[in-house]
Amino acid sequence: MSAARTVREWAPALVVFVLGIALWQGAIAAFDIQQFLLPKPSDIVRSCWDQRHTLWPAGWYTFKEALGGFAVGSIAGMAAATVISRFRTLGAALMPIAVAANAIPIIAFAPILNNWFNPLSPSSKIAMAAVLCFLPVMVNTMRGLQSANPRQIELMRSYAASGFSIWRQVRVPTALPFVFTSLKVASVLAMIAAIVGEYFGGSYDALGVLIRSKAQILDFETAWAGILVASVLGITLYLAVAAAERLVVRWAPETRDS
Amino acid sequence: MSHAAAATFPIRRSYAGHIAAGARRALAVVAVVAALVGLYELYRFIWSSTGWTHPFIVDDTSMPHVWVILHALWQPAQVNQPALGTILFHKSLFTAKEAAVGFALGAVVGFAIGIVLAHSRLLVRGFLPYIVASQTIPILAIAPMVVVWVNPKLPPSLQGWGSVAVIAAYLTFFPVAINTLRGLQSADPRALELMRTYAASRWTVLWKLRVPASMPFVFSALRIAATASVVGAIIGELPSGLQSGLGGAILNFNQYYSIEPQELWATNIVAAILGIVFFVVVAAAEKAIVRRAPENVA
Amino acid sequence: MTEQHSVVDVSGVSKTFPRGNVRALENIDLALRPGEFVSLIGPSGCGKSTLLRVIGDLVEPSTGSVVVNGKSARQARNDHDYGIVFQDSVLFDWRTVAKNISMPLELLGWDRAKRKERIDEMLRLVELQGFGDHHPWQLSGGMQQRVSIARALAFEPALLLMDEPFGALDEMTRERLNLELLSIWQQLGSTVVFVTHSISEAVFLSTRVVVMSPRPGRIAGIVDVDLPYPRTVETREAPRYFELVTEVRELLRSRGEHLLPEEEAALGQ
């Protein structure tokens, strides 16, 4: 994208951002009601800076949990989908069940995970994030593998191509856009899962625990600063996946250049 | 009726056909559940007999037997109280109420946002990044603040669970907004041209063309939103100290886990059923609405 | 005794699809000589696409036998004796034009140098030099079909199967591609089986036109096209051309007690 187009693309968001912050700052100052609940942006930023030696390492700690869970869950999901898709009837039968299973609030499982693993260790949070990422990635990978153009399959059969060739040359590339869509969803879920996991017990090095303890002692500025850090890290992971998508899936209509 | 029309009419299954398909699906579900239970018990058996401690120690506390968990539903959790199953049922109704209200609220707000954004590319570029970013804010962290802020503003009958419904709505509005936007933008450009030849107003074009075209997308989002509303309700209950819902039950039984682990597991099973029920209800509603108006479906 | 005069020998082939009990083909007998250009034409449901797929071993006949290049259809497919072109160009979006053409060559295990040489040759043949690094979505429909043809011919098969390859294109592009196809055919000397809906296209391109009728699918008749090659724009205006088109049309209509008005209209021209 040319520089001019990039600017035009992002200018409105920037304008909204500036206006939003200004409005927020002004409203808090003018009404002075919820100071203790929702601090001024300037206070939050100041707290972010003042507390940076605790906030950012905590964020990094939680981010590693989320990243680990994201990696484990996504890879497991893709592997499971690959295996299941080999057997067409199995895949077709399991798909609606997997979709319904996605409706289970896995969050409720967090305390049990904390009991399995030492609550202070990151393992339970990694497991939580992995479990949360597994199903969406598996369902979408399955959908992608099953959505190959039948004409392309026919073409490969006319070449007497092996089953593996067909899988590698047709099914996998067709599935990639689907896989990346689910990876983007999973990236956001991973961070949230890590923080929910920490709510039920976690090391003091963790961001979720930090936010909670600051809120409990009514240090809302730092609590919000922590929330800001969590949000920034979540967005970063999402953008990283989106960037990977642009590199790998260059042909999908959304990522085409021309 | 010409042959072309006959080819495009959806196949109408006979009543018996529907029953057969439903039975096959139920059988598949039973088979999968049985397989999962089998795997669970097998894992438990292998790990406890070999004494492996990686990734975690397996015993009656960490992995109670499936029948112990199910049996717990029939027993009272505390002396002189009704059975656990009954208690959990009422708690799930409470959580369901929060989730349903949150779902409705979030769906309406999301739909409205989608409609507004669909009319201006400028608004999309300005606000969409923040709408997406809103979902990266860990609601569990903001939940206590939302509760403190919203509760006093509500009438007494809605206090407590009302703020949890707001939290559920927060998780619900996003998929609905995004998909409504996509759906409204997906209208066939030729159909839009046709509306212009009728000099149709923007309002007419919206309701007669764009909204019907967006229905498949909206319904797909509603299925996701159904799940999100239950998750939001449970998460919202955690910091708000509400005892009457499933979130409260989870916190409560978590404290007793080392003594009575099966109660927390049973709560998980009830929560899972709640989530699935919500999803199935929305999916069934979609089928019912779509069947009655087939010409509205793409 | 198998006559080596036929490159394709279809005898007694019938095909019933289990779903819906559709009798797609009934007792088809057809022999194609090497270097022929044969069109299969008929209304919907006459089995022409099914017959093409039977020859390509993409559909198994219920009865009868298919001999391609002196072997069974299955063996011919395994030996890569034919190339196929569909109505939809079926290019892989994730590969460039050049890599799309190289697909069958990769499957055949050709080394990179040989592949590059052949790809350049093919691009010249379909007049798309310089487009090798483009992606399919950057090309027009006609250009995509030319890539599809280049890919089908990349490994120089003796037989070329084409299933309404120009059906999705506009008339002018179609006529131009007809000429290009004829030129390629005459350069390579392959045998072509060409399925089409268009009477004028069938007559213009072929040495023989096989007319099929539906329900059940069978051969209604065969018209020998004695127009001289090379055929040009002028051929379309020759009186003999119109006679042959009429002959084909009559054949379609005469066996068309089964034809519905809209099916007749669809045959056009």
Side-chain angles (χ1 to χ4, degrees):
Chain A
M1 259 205 284
S2 69
R5 254 185 80 186
T6 317
V7 167
R8 229 181 338 122
E9 190 82 14
W10 288 101
L14 207 60
V15 168
V16 168
F17 183 73
V18 170
L19 282 178
I21 296 289
L23 205 70
W24 180 357
Q25 184 95 354
I28 300 288
F31 295 109
D32 199 41
I33 26 165
Q34 304 135 355
Q35 250 291 45
F36 81 104
L37 268 186
L38 188 65
K40 289 197 279 234
S42 48
D43 291 338
I44 296 178
V45 172
R46 190 174 1 106
S47 187
C48 229
W49 179 256
D50 289 342
Q51 303 277 351
R52 66 188 182 280
H53 296 298
T54 34
L55 276 179
W56 289 97
W60 177 239
Y61 184 92
T62 305
F63 184 74
K64 278 191 291 184
E65 291 170 346
L67 195 61
F70 171 72
V72 170
S74 305
I75 293 175
M78 287 189 269
T82 307
V83 168
I84 294 176
S85 299
R86 292 307 230 145
F87 312 101
R88 210 174 312 151
T89 37
L90 186 66
L94 280 184
M95 182 66 107
I97 296 177
V99 171
N102 211 8
I104 297 175
I106 293 287
I107 296 291
F109 205 63
I112 294 183
L113 283 174
N114 256 5
N115 278 289
W116 278 358
F117 304 96
N118 179 0
L120 295 179
S121 87
S123 309
S124 54
K125 330 294 182 280
I126 295 177
M128 180 89 261
V131 171
L132 211 58
C133 291
F134 175 76
L135 263 178
V137 173
M138 184 185 86
V139 167
N140 266 286
T141 308
M142 266 171 64
R143 202 171 276 151
L145 287 172
Q146 287 170 356
S147 62
N149 183 347
R151 284 280 165 279
Q152 287 176 343
I153 307 281
E154 243 189 335
L155 184 73
M156 294 301 272
R157 282 183 60 210
S158 83
Y159 297 146
S162 67
F164 178 71
S165 259
I166 296 181
W167 185 79
R168 210 191 113 214
Q169 303 285 357
V170 178
R171 291 202 190 275
V172 168
T174 311
L176 281 177
F178 289 83
V179 171
F180 270 99
T181 304
S182 66
L183 285 180
K184 279 192 280 190
V185 168
S187 67
V188 177
L189 290 178
M191 197 68 189
I192 294 182
I195 295 197
V196 170
E198 286 164 7
Y199 180 88
F200 287 99
S203 149
Y204 279 105
D205 293 332
L207 188 60
V209 178
L210 186 80
I211 296 174
R212 190 180 177 185
S213 56
K214 293 292 179 189
Q216 273 172 345
I217 61 173
L218 302 182
D219 181 0
F220 287 102
E221 285 149 8
T222 312
W224 275 100
I227 291 174
L228 179 65
V229 169
S231 182
V232 165
L233 289 170
I235 294 174
T236 307
L237 188 55
Y238 175 90
L239 289 177
V241 176
E245 180 185 26
R246 279 203 111 95
L247 275 173
V248 174
V249 182
R250 268 186 261 207
W251 63 89
E254 301 87 50
T255 46
R256 283 179 195 171
D257 297 321
S258 23
Chain B
M1 202 189 283
S2 74
H3 287 234
T8 53
F9 239 102
I11 300 171
R12 301 263 176 180
R13 273 214 190 99
S14 67
Y15 200 58
H18 272 299
I19 303 231
R24 263 197 304 266
R25 184 159 297 180
L27 201 65
V29 171
V30 169
V32 170
V33 171
L36 288 172
V37 169
L39 278 169
Y40 178 87
E41 290 293 333
L42 185 68
Y43 181 94
R44 193 188 185 289
F45 174 72
I46 296 177
W47 256 252
S48 54
S49 39
T50 55
W52 287 335
T53 56
H54 200 76
F56 58 86
I57 301 174
V58 174
D59 54 29
D60 284 330
T61 307
S62 63
M63 281 181 85
H65 280 290
V66 174
W67 49 89
V68 172
I69 299 172
L70 291 175
H71 184 65
L73 286 169
W74 267 263
Q75 304 289 90
Q78 282 167 306
V79 183
N80 292 331
Q81 282 214 337
L84 181 63
T86 318
I87 294 181
L88 286 177
F89 178 69
H90 285 106
K91 288 192 191 270
S92 53
L93 284 182
F94 184 84
T95 305
K97 181 173 60 175
E98 295 164 334
V101 171
F103 175 79
L105 186 61
V108 167
V109 169
F111 191 66
I113 291 178
I115 289 184
V116 167
L117 287 184
H119 282 99
S120 160
R121 198 148 292 176
L122 196 66
L123 284 179
V124 171
R125 273 185 277 156
F127 286 97
L128 196 59
Y130 303 108
I131 294 179
V132 173
S134 74
Q135 299 299 297
T136 61
I137 297 177
I139 50 156
L140 186 54
I142 339 180
M145 297 148 193
V146 171
V147 169
V148 173
W149 181 54
V150 169
N151 252 342
K153 296 192 165 47
L154 294 170
S157 59
L158 291 169
Q159 280 194 8
W161 66 270
S163 47
V164 177
V166 169
I167 295 169
Y170 183 87
L171 280 190
T172 313
F173 90 90
F174 177 72
V176 178
I178 296 289
N179 271 28
T180 304
L181 179 61
R182 266 185 71 200
L184 292 172
Q185 288 173 338
S186 75
D188 186 349
R190 284 165 298 185
L192 285 169
E193 262 188 318
L194 186 68
M195 294 300 253
R196 278 185 66 196
T197 69
Y198 298 152
S201 69
R202 266 199 173 187
W203 196 251
T204 313
V205 174
L206 175 68
W207 290 105
K208 293 271 189 227
L209 174 62
R210 285 188 190 270
V211 167
S214 69
M215 281 299 115
F217 292 85
V218 171
F219 271 111
S220 147
L222 286 179
R223 271 177 273 147
I224 300 173
T227 307
S229 65
V230 173
V231 172
I234 294 178
I235 291 186
E237 283 176 12
L238 295 176
S240 57
L242 282 171
Q243 286 298 311
S244 334
L246 283 177
I250 291 173
L251 281 175
N252 198 20
F253 293 134
N254 188 30
Q255 288 184 322
Y256 296 108
Y257 188 80
S258 40
I259 312 167
E260 305 275 5
Q262 65 275 10
E263 288 172 353
L264 187 54
W265 282 88
T267 310
N268 259 276
I269 292 180
V270 172
I273 294 176
L274 179 65
I276 294 179
V277 164
F278 255 68
F279 175 81
V280 167
V281 164
V282 171
E286 173 185 1
K287 274 218 169 77
I289 296 177
V290 161
R291 189 178 300 159
R292 263 196 276 133
E295 62 269 9
N296 279 353
V297 179
Chain C
M1 190 175 95
T2 325
E3 283 190 314
Q4 282 302 344
H5 298 306
S6 334
V7 66
V8 173
D9 205 326
V10 174
S11 24
V13 161
S14 302
K15 176 67 185 173
T16 308
F17 284 107
R19 252 178 298 165
N21 241 327
V22 177
R23 204 145 175 71
L25 293 172
E26 183 164 282
N27 238 330
I28 305 288
D29 285 305
L30 186 61
L32 306 179
R33 294 182 292 276
E36 274 208 86
F37 196 120
V38 171
S39 287
L40 303 178
I41 189 168
S44 317
C46 70
K48 52 193 193 295
S49 290
T50 310
L51 180 56
L52 191 82
R53 281 174 170 71
V54 165
I55 295 173
D57 188 43
L58 294 172
V59 165
E60 221 173 301
S62 310
T63 66
S65 77
V66 182
V67 178
V68 176
N69 245 2
K71 338 166 180 165
S72 70
R74 167 86 24 109
Q75 192 58 43
R77 179 170 67 88
N78 281 328
D79 290 346
H80 309 97
D81 283 349
Y82 73 87
I84 188 162
V85 178
F86 298 106
Q87 181 172 45
D88 169 22
S89 60
V90 194
L91 298 176
F92 294 170
D93 273 332
W94 51 87
R95 287 174 166 240
T96 58
V97 163
K99 292 225 81 191
N100 262 286
I101 297 177
S102 104
M103 171 97 251
L105 306 176
E106 287 168 25
L107 289 174
L108 283 168
W110 288 26
D111 64 69
R112 181 168 299 189
K114 238 178 123 189
R115 290 204 310 259
K116 175 125 186 22
E117 202 188 312
R118 177 53 60 85
I119 293 171
D120 290 338
E121 215 181 298
M122 288 293 118
L123 285 173
R124 268 192 307 257
L125 188 67
V126 298
E127 296 185 17
L128 281 177
Q129 310 95 306
F131 283 95
D133 286 326
H134 282 62
H135 280 267
W137 71 80
Q138 294 170 305
L139 304 180
S140 71
M143 292 162 89
Q144 288 181 8
Q145 270 304 46
R146 277 144 75 189
V147 175
S148 184
I149 293 172
R151 177 181 60 187
L153 294 170
F155 50 96
E156 280 181 348
L159 183 61
L160 186 60
L161 303 179
M162 306 179 88
D163 190 359
E164 298 191 56
F166 308 134
L169 305 173
D170 63 84
E171 181 97 21
M172 283 147 294
T173 311
R174 227 174 154 157
E175 287 192 3
R176 207 186 53 232
L177 287 178
N178 281 171
L179 289 168
E180 274 189 43
L181 181 60
L182 282 182
S183 149
I184 295 171
W185 169 61
Q186 293 195 295
Q187 281 182 61
L188 296 180
S190 15
T191 311
V192 180
V193 182
F194 189 92
V195 170
T196 178
H197 252 145
S198 159
I199 303 177
S200 63
E201 187 175 58
V203 173
F204 181 72
L205 293 172
S206 328
T207 54
R208 280 197 292 165
V209 176
V210 174
V211 177
M212 298 179 74
S213 63
R215 288 182 292 277
R218 60 192 128 79
I219 296 181
I222 303 185
V223 175
D224 275 309
V225 178
D226 53 7
L227 296 167
Y229 286 96
R231 298 185 186 165
T232 62
V233 182
E234 277 91 41
T235 314
R236 286 195 198 271
E237 292 161 15
R240 182 71 188 129
Y241 174 77
F242 288 114
E243 281 171 33
L244 288 163
V245 166
T246 310
E247 201 181 321
V248 172
R249 186 175 295 127
E250 290 298 308
L251 202 51
L252 279 161
R253 206 174 285 141
S254 73
R255 290 305 185 96
E257 316 94 33
H258 308 289
L259 281 181
L260 297 170
E262 55 262 34
E263 287 174 327
E264 266 211 61
L267 284 165
Q269 281 111 19

PDB file of all heavy atoms in Angstrom, chain C residues 24-39:
ATOM      1  N   ALA C  24     -27.540 -42.167 -17.091  1.00  0.00           N
ATOM      2  CA  ALA C  24     -26.820 -41.104 -17.782  1.00  0.00           C
ATOM      3  C   ALA C  24     -26.359 -41.532 -19.167  1.00  0.00           C
ATOM      4  O   ALA C  24     -26.321 -40.735 -20.096  1.00  0.00           O
ATOM      5  CB  ALA C  24     -25.628 -40.663 -16.956  1.00  0.00           C
ATOM      6  N   LEU C  25     -25.951 -42.779 -19.320  1.00  0.00           N
ATOM      7  CA  LEU C  25     -25.467 -43.259 -20.620  1.00  0.00           C
ATOM      8  C   LEU C  25     -26.025 -44.652 -20.874  1.00  0.00           C
ATOM      9  O   LEU C  25     -26.108 -45.471 -19.959  1.00  0.00           O
ATOM     10  CB  LEU C  25     -23.932 -43.344 -20.633  1.00  0.00           C
ATOM     11  CG  LEU C  25     -23.153 -42.040 -20.560  1.00  0.00           C
ATOM     12  CD1 LEU C  25     -21.665 -42.333 -20.394  1.00  0.00           C
ATOM     13  CD2 LEU C  25     -23.373 -41.208 -21.806  1.00  0.00           C
ATOM     14  N   GLU C  26     -26.415 -44.881 -22.131  1.00  0.00           N
ATOM     15  CA  GLU C  26     -26.919 -46.213 -22.470  1.00  0.00           C
ATOM     16  C   GLU C  26     -26.282 -46.714 -23.749  1.00  0.00           C
ATOM     17  O   GLU C  26     -26.460 -46.124 -24.816  1.00  0.00           O
ATOM     18  CB  GLU C  26     -28.439 -46.172 -22.627  1.00  0.00           C
ATOM     19  CG  GLU C  26     -29.021 -47.550 -22.899  1.00  0.00           C
ATOM     20  CD  GLU C  26     -30.512 -47.567 -22.664  1.00  0.00           C
ATOM     21  OE1 GLU C  26     -30.904 -47.617 -21.496  1.00  0.00           O
ATOM     22  OE2 GLU C  26     -31.263 -47.504 -23.642  1.00  0.00           O
ATOM     23  N   ASN C  27     -25.536 -47.786 -23.601  1.00  0.00           N
ATOM     24  CA  ASN C  27     -24.988 -48.480 -24.762  1.00  0.00           C
ATOM     25  C   ASN C  27     -24.252 -47.584 -25.751  1.00  0.00           C
ATOM     26  O   ASN C  27     -24.623 -47.487 -26.914  1.00  0.00           O
ATOM     27  CB  ASN C  27     -26.120 -49.194 -25.500  1.00  0.00           C
ATOM     28  CG  ASN C  27     -25.822 -50.665 -25.568  1.00  0.00           C
ATOM     29  OD1 ASN C  27     -24.662 -51.069 -25.608  1.00  0.00           O
ATOM     30  ND2 ASN C  27     -26.863 -51.468 -25.575  1.00  0.00           N
ATOM     31  N   ILE C  28     -23.211 -46.944 -25.255  1.00  0.00           N
ATOM     32  CA  ILE C  28     -22.471 -46.042 -26.138  1.00  0.00           C
ATOM     33  C   ILE C  28     -21.365 -46.814 -26.854  1.00  0.00           C
ATOM     34  O   ILE C  28     -20.572 -47.513 -26.232  1.00  0.00           O
ATOM     35  CB  ILE C  28     -21.834 -44.897 -25.317  1.00  0.00           C
ATOM     36  CG1 ILE C  28     -22.899 -44.170 -24.496  1.00  0.00           C
ATOM     37  CG2 ILE C  28     -21.088 -43.940 -26.221  1.00  0.00           C
ATOM     38  CD1 ILE C  28     -23.829 -43.318 -25.283  1.00  0.00           C
ATOM     39  N   ASP C  29     -21.344 -46.682 -28.168  1.00  0.00           N
ATOM     40  CA  ASP C  29     -20.250 -47.235 -28.964  1.00  0.00           C
ATOM     41  C   ASP C  29     -19.613 -46.106 -29.746  1.00  0.00           C
ATOM     42  O   ASP C  29     -20.288 -45.430 -30.520  1.00  0.00           O
ATOM     43  CB  ASP C  29     -20.780 -48.287 -29.967  1.00  0.00           C
ATOM     44  CG  ASP C  29     -21.125 -49.586 -29.266  1.00  0.00           C
ATOM     45  OD1 ASP C  29     -20.245 -50.133 -28.576  1.00  0.00           O
ATOM     46  OD2 ASP C  29     -22.285 -50.030 -29.402  1.00  0.00           O
ATOM     47  N   LEU C  30     -18.332 -45.905 -29.544  1.00  0.00           N
ATOM     48  CA  LEU C  30     -17.673 -44.787 -30.226  1.00  0.00           C
ATOM     49  C   LEU C  30     -16.200 -45.108 -30.393  1.00  0.00           C
ATOM     50  O   LEU C  30     -15.548 -45.549 -29.443  1.00  0.00           O
ATOM     51  CB  LEU C  30     -17.849 -43.514 -29.391  1.00  0.00           C
ATOM     52  CG  LEU C  30     -17.362 -42.197 -29.989  1.00  0.00           C
ATOM     53  CD1 LEU C  30     -18.096 -41.891 -31.281  1.00  0.00           C
ATOM     54  CD2 LEU C  30     -17.585 -41.078 -28.985  1.00  0.00           C
ATOM     55  N   ALA C  31     -15.666 -44.907 -31.591  1.00  0.00           N
ATOM     56  CA  ALA C  31     -14.241 -45.125 -31.822  1.00  0.00           C
ATOM     57  C   ALA C  31     -13.646 -43.858 -32.407  1.00  0.00           C
ATOM     58  O   ALA C  31     -14.183 -43.288 -33.358  1.00  0.00           O
ATOM     59  CB  ALA C  31     -14.027 -46.304 -32.767  1.00  0.00           C
ATOM     60  N   LEU C  32     -12.549 -43.408 -31.818  1.00  0.00           N
ATOM     61  CA  LEU C  32     -11.919 -42.177 -32.287  1.00  0.00           C
ATOM     62  C   LEU C  32     -10.564 -42.478 -32.895  1.00  0.00           C
ATOM     63  O   LEU C  32      -9.741 -43.163 -32.278  1.00  0.00           O
ATOM     64  CB  LEU C  32     -11.747 -41.202 -31.111  1.00  0.00           C
ATOM     65  CG  LEU C  32     -13.010 -40.896 -30.318  1.00  0.00           C
ATOM     66  CD1 LEU C  32     -12.704 -39.937 -29.182  1.00  0.00           C
ATOM     67  CD2 LEU C  32     -14.083 -40.313 -31.218  1.00  0.00           C
ATOM     68  N   ARG C  33     -10.350 -41.965 -34.089  1.00  0.00           N
ATOM     69  CA  ARG C  33      -9.064 -42.187 -34.756  1.00  0.00           C
ATOM     70  C   ARG C  33      -8.054 -41.148 -34.282  1.00  0.00           C
ATOM     71  O   ARG C  33      -8.437 -40.056 -33.869  1.00  0.00           O
ATOM     72  CB  ARG C  33      -9.252 -42.103 -36.272  1.00  0.00           C
ATOM     73  CG  ARG C  33     -10.121 -43.228 -36.835  1.00  0.00           C
ATOM     74  CD  ARG C  33     -10.233 -43.104 -38.356  1.00  0.00           C
ATOM     75  NE  ARG C  33     -10.999 -41.935 -38.756  1.00  0.00           N
ATOM     76  CZ  ARG C  33     -12.328 -41.885 -38.833  1.00  0.00           C
ATOM     77  NH1 ARG C  33     -13.043 -42.956 -38.507  1.00  0.00           N
ATOM     78  NH2 ARG C  33     -12.945 -40.781 -39.218  1.00  0.00           N
ATOM     79  N   PRO C  34      -6.766 -41.506 -34.357  1.00  0.00           N
ATOM     80  CA  PRO C  34      -5.749 -40.556 -33.895  1.00  0.00           C
ATOM     81  C   PRO C  34      -5.811 -39.258 -34.691  1.00  0.00           C
ATOM     82  O   PRO C  34      -6.036 -39.273 -35.899  1.00  0.00           O
ATOM     83  CB  PRO C  34      -4.420 -41.268 -34.163  1.00  0.00           C
ATOM     84  CG  PRO C  34      -4.765 -42.693 -34.334  1.00  0.00           C
ATOM     85  CD  PRO C  34      -6.188 -42.762 -34.832  1.00  0.00           C
ATOM     86  N   GLY C  35      -5.625 -38.155 -34.001  1.00  0.00           N
ATOM     87  CA  GLY C  35      -5.591 -36.863 -34.676  1.00  0.00           C
ATOM     88  C   GLY C  35      -6.948 -36.289 -34.977  1.00  0.00           C
ATOM     89  O   GLY C  35      -7.055 -35.201 -35.532  1.00  0.00           O
ATOM     90  N   GLU C  36      -8.022 -36.980 -34.580  1.00  0.00           N
ATOM     91  CA  GLU C  36      -9.360 -36.454 -34.820  1.00  0.00           C
ATOM     92  C   GLU C  36      -9.681 -35.326 -33.863  1.00  0.00           C
ATOM     93  O   GLU C  36      -9.120 -35.239 -32.775  1.00  0.00           O
ATOM     94  CB  GLU C  36     -10.398 -37.554 -34.577  1.00  0.00           C
ATOM     95  CG  GLU C  36     -10.679 -38.454 -35.731  1.00  0.00           C
ATOM     96  CD  GLU C  36     -12.095 -38.982 -35.647  1.00  0.00           C
ATOM     97  OE1 GLU C  36     -13.012 -38.294 -36.139  1.00  0.00           O
ATOM     98  OE2 GLU C  36     -12.303 -40.067 -35.068  1.00  0.00           O
ATOM     99  N   PHE C  37     -10.636 -34.495 -34.292  1.00  0.00           N
ATOM    100  CA  PHE C  37     -11.206 -33.495 -33.386  1.00  0.00           C
ATOM    101  C   PHE C  37     -12.684 -33.809 -33.328  1.00  0.00           C
ATOM    102  O   PHE C  37     -13.421 -33.541 -34.271  1.00  0.00           O
ATOM    103  CB  PHE C  37     -10.964 -32.080 -33.921  1.00  0.00           C
ATOM    104  CG  PHE C  37     -11.182 -31.004 -32.884  1.00  0.00           C
ATOM    105  CD1 PHE C  37     -10.144 -30.161 -32.526  1.00  0.00           C
ATOM    106  CD2 PHE C  37     -12.429 -30.833 -32.275  1.00  0.00           C
ATOM    107  CE1 PHE C  37     -10.334 -29.156 -31.573  1.00  0.00           C
ATOM    108  CE2 PHE C  37     -12.622 -29.849 -31.325  1.00  0.00           C
ATOM    109  CZ  PHE C  37     -11.572 -29.003 -30.971  1.00  0.00           C
ATOM    110  N   VAL C  38     -13.109 -34.404 -32.236  1.00  0.00           N
ATOM    111  CA  VAL C  38     -14.495 -34.854 -32.124  1.00  0.00           C
ATOM    112  C   VAL C  38     -15.247 -34.032 -31.088  1.00  0.00           C
ATOM    113  O   VAL C  38     -14.787 -33.873 -29.965  1.00  0.00           O
ATOM    114  CB  VAL C  38     -14.546 -36.348 -31.722  1.00  0.00           C
ATOM    115  CG1 VAL C  38     -15.963 -36.756 -31.400  1.00  0.00           C
ATOM    116  CG2 VAL C  38     -13.984 -37.198 -32.838  1.00  0.00           C
ATOM    117  N   SER C  39     -16.410 -33.513 -31.476  1.00  0.00           N
ATOM    118  CA  SER C  39     -17.242 -32.776 -30.530  1.00  0.00           C
ATOM    119  C   SER C  39     -18.382 -33.649 -30.057  1.00  0.00           C
ATOM    120  O   SER C  39     -18.938 -34.434 -30.827  1.00  0.00           O
ATOM    121  CB  SER C  39     -17.831 -31.532 -31.191  1.00  0.00           C
ATOM    122  OG  SER C  39     -16.855 -30.560 -31.373  1.00  0.00           O
TER     123      SER C  39
END
